[in-house]
Amino acid sequence: KQEVTQIPAALSVPEGENLVLNCSFTDSAIYNLQWFRQDPGKGLTSLLLIQSSQREQTSGRLNASLDKSSGRSTLYIAASQPGDSATYLCAVGQIGNTPLVFGKGTRLSVIA
Amino acid sequence: DVKVTQSSRYLVKRTGEKVFLECVQDMDHENMFWYRQDPGLGLRLIYFSYDVKMKEKGDIPEGYSVSREKKERFSLILESASTNQTSMYLCASSPSNYGYTFGSGTRLTVV
């Protein structure tokens, strides 16, 4: 059974710092991997979707990478801002159109 | 822009009531999902559907049922609400083997 882990559970950084959020998964037979952002009390907003054939995706200050063989993905946030404070979740899509498997997220605080 | 709309942001219901949570998507997606989210437990899948009138149990279906009579609408039903069903409920939709779009969530309190 696929398991997705995000470590650390919480992270606090000063404004302007570049940072990396980690996601690991146990079964490398994935179809895609998706990163989400969640603000308190709100739904999830999709940030980036990486197909299994891709190595990375970029959107603005965000860059997500995927290494299927090692079962890892990272979300890189450049020049962090207080507005980046949120919980970031990764989710793995497996072959066969089965539901995404979610990690529990990393709660990020960017301090001004 | 694609949208998943959940009918209520906040809902307060009494124990024993029958509760309907509605979710509508305007993207012609085949797949729809209901999750609940609780502190420390993450997202847990309740039910999902890959087509009209089809439904599949997720990880925690007990106490819930669903209805999908039209492609765009997926309803979650709490047959007899209990206090342990107080939670944030999140609906999502997706095309086959592609990314999810989530609604804004419904915070349900059962008193």
Side-chain angles (χ1 to χ4, degrees):
Chain A
K1 182 182 176 186
Q2 178 75 270
E3 293 183 3
V4 179
T5 303
Q6 294 184 250
I7 295 173
L11 181 64
S12 185
V13 300
E15 181 178 7
E17 192 163 296
N18 302 326
L19 62 101
V20 173
L21 305 180
N22 296 300
C23 172
S24 62
F25 46 95
T26 54
D27 185 349
S28 62
I30 68 169
Y31 197 85
N32 55 34
L33 186 144
Q34 195 168 2
W35 281 94
F36 296 90
R37 168 188 172 134
Q38 186 178 30
D39 294 295
K42 302 287 181 64
L44 278 67
T45 299
S46 180
L47 297 174
L48 290 164
L49 173 70
I50 310 177
Q51 299 295 340
S52 61
S53 57
Q54 298 174 317
R55 291 298 298 253
E56 64 179 72
Q57 282 283 344
T58 298
S59 175
R61 294 183 293 111
L62 305 179
N63 176 276
S65 69
L66 174 64
D67 184 344
K68 276 200 323 178
S69 61
S70 67
R72 297 173 71 174
S73 176
T74 62
L75 179 66
Y76 174 84
I77 302 177
S80 59
Q81 304 169 357
D84 295 329
S85 298
T87 297
Y88 292 81
L89 297 98
C90 74
V92 170
Q94 300 179 104
I95 295 169
N97 198 27
T98 55
L100 291 182
V101 179
F102 282 83
K104 291 188 175 181
T106 295
R107 189 174 69 252
L108 173 66
S109 298
V110 181
I111 310 301
Chain B
D1 204 7
V2 297
K3 271 208 162 162
V4 177
T5 302
Q6 295 185 233
S7 52
S8 305
R9 287 298 309 277
Y10 301 95
L11 213 51
V12 179
K13 295 293 182 180
R14 295 195 179 276
T15 301
E17 274 193 76
K18 190 169 187 176
V19 180
F20 293 85
L21 302 183
E22 305 288 347
C23 177
V24 178
Q25 50 99 359
D26 64 359
M27 299 162 284
D28 201 35
H29 286 171
E30 295 85 4
N31 306 330
M32 296 189 75
F33 308 87
W34 275 106
Y35 291 86
R36 65 177 283 178
Q37 186 178 35
D38 302 286
L41 297 178
L43 272 79
R44 292 183 290 169
L45 181 63
I46 305 172
Y47 268 97
F48 59 102
S49 169
Y50 288 146
D51 202 350
V52 176
K53 297 191 184 295
M54 292 184 66
K55 60 184 179 183
E56 300 281 348
K57 292 180 180 180
D59 300 318
I60 53 163
E62 297 78 17
Y64 303 93
S65 62
V66 290
S67 173
R68 193 168 182 199
E69 295 296 318
K70 294 184 178 182
K71 190 175 187 179
E72 67 269 19
R73 184 181 297 269
F74 193 36
S75 303
L76 181 69
I77 304 156
L78 286 65
E79 297 290 344
S80 177
S82 64
T83 55
N84 63 12
Q85 293 178 310
T86 291
S87 186
M88 170 69 99
Y89 289 86
L90 294 163
C91 175
S93 73
S94 77
S96 295
N97 287 319
Y98 206 68
Y100 285 21
T101 301
F102 276 85
S104 55
T106 296
R107 170 72 65 184
L108 173 67
T109 302
V110 182
V111 298

